[in-house]
Amino acid sequence: MSIADYKQGLGEHGKDTKLNLSNIFGNVDTSGMTPTQFYGTALSLAYTIGDDALTAAVEAEAEGKIEANVVGAAKLAATLMAMNNIYYRFLHLSSDKQFSKMPAGLRMNGMANPGVDKADFELYSLAVSALNGCGMCIDSHVGVLLKHDISAQVIQNSIKMAAVLNAATTARRIA
C-alpha cells in the first residue's frame, strides 16, 4: 500500500487531509529534510499512531530510500517516547513538584546510540513528542535540534507531518 492508496480510504471528510498528505509526500525533496530525516520522522510517527495501514503506506514510500538503521531508529524513537512522553508530561503537569526532584529510574540507553545521527534521532523524537503532547519533551528536543543547526523550517515540517498523519488516521478510522 502506498500513500496514494491510503488516501483512498479517507472519505470525503478527509479531503483536506488528502491534499496535505499529497503535499507532504510529494515535496520530500523540497522539505529541507534529508531522506533519513523525512522518512525516519514519518516512520516514527506511523509506529506511534499504530494504524497498520498507515504504517504499511509509509514503509512502502520509504522503501529503497533509506537504510535499515533508519527503520530501527524510528522504532526506537517511537518506543522511547511512548515511555518518556508519559513520564515527563506527568512531571510537567503535576502541581506537586516533589516528583520532578525524584530520579526517573527509566532506562534509555538507546538514546546514546540510536543508530542514526543524533540530530536526526532528535527530530524523530520531537515529532513523536508533539504527537503525544509532551511539552517538556518538545522543549528539550527543540533545544537540541537548534544546537545542531537544524532549521526552524525542518522542525516545523516535522510537526506538520505529525499533524497530517494524525489527521489521516482519524479520517480513515471514522470513514
Side-chain angles (χ1 to χ4, degrees), residues 76-153:
L76 179 63
T79 303
L80 287 177
M81 292 310 105
M83 175 181 66
N84 288 352
N85 294 158
I86 296 297
Y87 185 79
Y88 290 103
R89 185 172 60 218
F90 165 76
L91 292 183
H92 178 74
L93 294 174
S94 176
S95 60
D96 188 337
K97 297 306 173 191
Q98 72 173 315
F99 298 106
S100 62
K101 296 175 183 161
M102 302 167 88
L106 299 173
R107 294 185 60 99
M108 298 178 269
N109 294 339
M111 291 183 92
N113 187 13
V116 295
D117 182 79
K118 176 71 171 158
D120 293 349
F121 187 75
E122 288 289 332
L123 193 64
Y124 310 165
S125 298
L126 169 63
V128 172
S129 294
L131 183 69
N132 289 336
C134 182
M136 191 177 228
C137 294
I138 290 168
D139 286 344
S140 175
H141 296 302
V142 167
V144 172
L145 288 165
L146 293 173
K147 286 179 186 171
H148 280 89
D149 294 323
I150 300 298
S151 72
Q153 187 67 51

